Each structure stands twice: as structure tokens, then as C-alpha cells.
Amino acid sequence: MKSNYFKKIAGTVVMAFSLILGISSIAAAQYQDPYQNDRYRRQQEELRRQQAEQLRRDQQDQWGRNQQDQWGRDQWGRRNRGRSGDGYPNWGGNYELSQTALNAGYNAGAREGRNDRNRRRGYGYSDFGRFGSYRSADKDYNGRFGDRELYRRYFRMAFENGYADGLRGY
């Protein structure tokens, strides 16, 4: 009788131990990794970073330069340093045409910017079309320079830069 009693006790202990071991192994399998959400978050951040890098690469042209608007500014509004290092793009024409237009445009813009600064007008008020010199963009133009429209492009771009500098007090 005692042997049956010990067999029952031993069987019960073995059953209880296997039950506890089974439950703990199931819980461990379900719990697995306490940092699983962190791993997912890191994977998502890496994916976003890769997508942003791919977008930046897609926005570059075939020569590896950032694409620019008509004034030589990239998508963040920064100007590339052109061939001459003055920050203006090289649209062609001879040196005298571009330098005369840039100088005349910058000086006219700086003058108008200083006037608006003295009148306490902000940059938001700067509709450049209200300035006659910006509209005509032919101050100091000479027919021997060549293309008048190219002169106007240089002049207007320099006018905007000069206006901003004059408004800031430079």
C-alpha cells in the first residue's frame, strides 16, 4: 500500500512539475523579445532614412548637381556658387553683359531696399513688379552687350539680392 501511495505522490509531483514547465515554456515563447517594438521602430526609421536618401538622389540631375530654379537656387533656397564663385549662375553671354547687369541690378535693388527699410516696410511688401527699374531691367544696357533678355534676367536676379541686402541694412 505504501508503494502505491509513493507512486501516486511521485506521479503527482512529476505531473505538477511538467505542468509548471509547460506553462513557463509557453509564456516564454509568447513573450520572446521584450524589445520587439524597439526593433520595429528602428527598422521603420531606417526605412524612412533610406527613402529620404533615395528621394535626394532622384532630385539630383545626371551630373550629380541639385536641380535649380531659374535663379540658381536649389530646393532649400540656397544658391550654388557658380563658375565665377560669385553665387550667380552662368547663363551665357559675355562677361561684360553679366557684370554690368549684376552691378546695375544689385545697386538698384539695394537702393529700393534701403528706401523700404527707411519707410519701415517689410520683405513681405516686396512685390518687385512695383519697381519701374525691375520691370524694365535695362539700366546701363548697351546694344553691344548682346541679348537684352539675358541682360534682364541677370539684372532682375541681382535686383532681388540687392533689395534683400538693402532691406537688412547692408
Side-chain angles (χ1 to χ4, degrees), residues 106-162:
Y106 185 88
N107 291 336
R111 186 179 328 102
E112 296 295 341
R114 282 191 300 271
N115 288 342
D116 280 356
R117 182 171 183 256
N118 293 337
R119 293 181 197 133
R120 303 210 185 280
R121 293 180 180 163
Y123 196 77
Y125 189 76
S126 62
D127 173 23
F128 296 116
R130 67 187 170 100
F131 300 115
S133 59
Y134 184 84
R135 282 193 309 270
S136 65
D138 59 1
K139 184 176 187 312
D140 294 344
Y141 175 76
N142 190 330
R144 62 185 168 83
F145 291 157
D147 188 9
R148 183 181 296 263
E149 287 306 312
L150 182 60
Y151 184 89
R152 286 181 173 156
R153 285 178 70 190
Y154 279 119
F155 184 95
R156 288 179 176 143
M157 189 171 94
F159 184 95
E160 292 178 14
N161 286 338

Side-chain angles (χ1 to χ4, degrees), residues 1-140:
M1 191 90 160
K2 277 190 171 186
S3 70
N4 282 342
Y5 177 72
F6 285 123
K7 284 183 183 176
K8 282 184 182 178
I9 295 288
T12 305
V13 168
V14 169
M15 271 304 260
F17 184 71
S18 63
L19 181 64
I20 291 172
L21 186 65
I23 289 174
S24 65
S25 66
I26 289 173
Q30 288 177 349
Y31 187 68
Q32 238 177 10
D33 185 6
Y35 302 108
Q36 188 169 6
N37 289 337
D38 286 344
R39 185 179 307 135
Y40 176 76
R41 182 183 49 79
R42 284 192 305 267
Q43 287 173 348
Q44 292 301 312
E45 287 174 358
E46 178 65 18
L47 180 64
R48 273 190 232 102
R49 189 193 61 76
Q50 288 173 354
Q51 288 172 343
E53 180 68 20
Q54 184 62 41
L55 179 65
R56 186 189 63 77
R57 271 190 247 118
D58 290 345
Q59 289 176 343
Q60 289 181 339
D61 66 8
Q62 63 195 12
W63 295 283
R65 296 178 306 200
N66 286 336
Q67 292 183 3
Q68 300 171 348
D69 64 1
Q70 63 180 349
W71 306 122
R73 293 182 294 239
D74 62 11
Q75 64 264 30
W76 296 285
R78 296 182 309 220
R79 292 192 197 281
N80 259 353
R81 303 293 289 184
R83 254 190 255 172
S84 61
D86 58 3
Y88 293 101
N90 185 3
W91 287 320
N94 62 25
Y95 179 79
E96 192 176 10
L97 175 138
S98 61
Q99 287 305 302
T100 305
L102 292 173
N103 289 338
Y106 185 88
N107 291 336
R111 186 179 328 102
E112 296 295 341
R114 282 191 300 271
N115 288 342
D116 280 356
R117 182 171 183 256
N118 293 337
R119 293 181 197 133
R120 303 210 185 280
R121 293 180 180 163
Y123 196 77
Y125 189 76
S126 62
D127 173 23
F128 296 116
R130 67 187 170 100
F131 300 115
S133 59
Y134 184 84
R135 282 193 309 270
S136 65
D138 59 1
K139 184 176 187 312
D140 294 344

